[in-house]
Amino acid sequence: GTGTAANLATLIKGITYKSGSDNPSTTARTVSIIVKDADVACAGSGNTTISITGTNDCPTLSNASNFATSYTENGANASVVNSTFAIVDADLATASTTQAWTATVQLTNGVSLDSLLVPTSANGFTVATPVYAYPNVTVTISGTGTAANLATLIKGITYKSGSDNPS
């Protein structure tokens, strides 16, 4: 088209780059700029290098909220999360990618004799002995593994009251 060099420079300066990925490659990107005047055989060119720095996206918990269950005195232990509970981390290359994790599961309004029962450590994770500081009962899981393996351990945590008159 036609226009002034200043207008063309303003348009070029307005071009921006944005990755659409939550886990972009950190390989630098090169943008080539070629400008030709009315004599198309004559051109000016330049390159711009864009450095890419990834950021950590927090994991998200699927089917973790608004789960309601019930416990019957002296009955079966109650699950603390939905059976479809999952952990998703956009930073992982694949679902089978392993990484270091720490998770905390906490009963925040417990009373005496309330317990969180934990599965044994597995798949690279260690499940710490629950800490009882009523009204809180806290379980910490740490280790290296997949999000699915961590979710499986969390799904194995259950609630039980040791009281014959639970409130």
Side-chain angles (χ1 to χ4, degrees):
T2 59
T4 67
N7 286 344
L8 181 58
T10 299
L11 286 172
I12 292 172
K13 289 177 188 176
I15 296 172
T16 61
Y17 170 85
K18 180 178 179 176
S19 173
S21 173
D22 278 328
N23 190 19
S25 163
T26 56
T27 301
R29 310 304 196 268
T30 302
V31 178
S32 296
I33 302 164
I34 301 170
V35 176
K36 297 180 181 180
D37 64 11
D39 179 3
V40 293
C42 183
S45 65
N47 292 324
T48 299
T49 302
I50 301 171
S51 298
I52 307 296
T53 303
T55 59
N56 183 28
D57 296 304
C58 294
T60 58
L61 306 180
S62 175
N63 298 316
S65 298
N66 302 318
F67 175 66
T69 189
S70 61
Y71 173 78
T72 302
E73 177 184 345
N74 298 319
N77 299 348
S79 297
V80 298
V81 294
N82 189 315
S83 63
T84 59
F85 170 78
I87 300 168
V88 178
D89 191 335
D91 293 324
L92 300 180
T94 68
S96 62
T97 300
T98 61
Q99 72 174 20
W101 297 89
T102 300
T104 303
V105 177
Q106 187 173 61
L107 173 65
T108 58
N109 61 343
V111 296
S112 180
L113 301 178
D114 281 354
S115 298
L116 289 179
L117 304 173
V118 298
T120 58
S121 301
N123 296 314
F125 292 101
T126 301
V127 182
T129 302
V131 175
Y132 294 88
Y134 293 109
N136 299 324
V137 179
T138 306
V139 175
T140 302
I141 302 170
S142 60
T144 300
T146 66
N149 288 340
L150 178 57
T152 297
L153 280 174
I154 293 171
K155 287 189 267 189
I157 297 173
T158 58
Y159 165 85
K160 180 176 180 101
S161 174
S163 174
D164 283 330
N165 187 22
S167 58

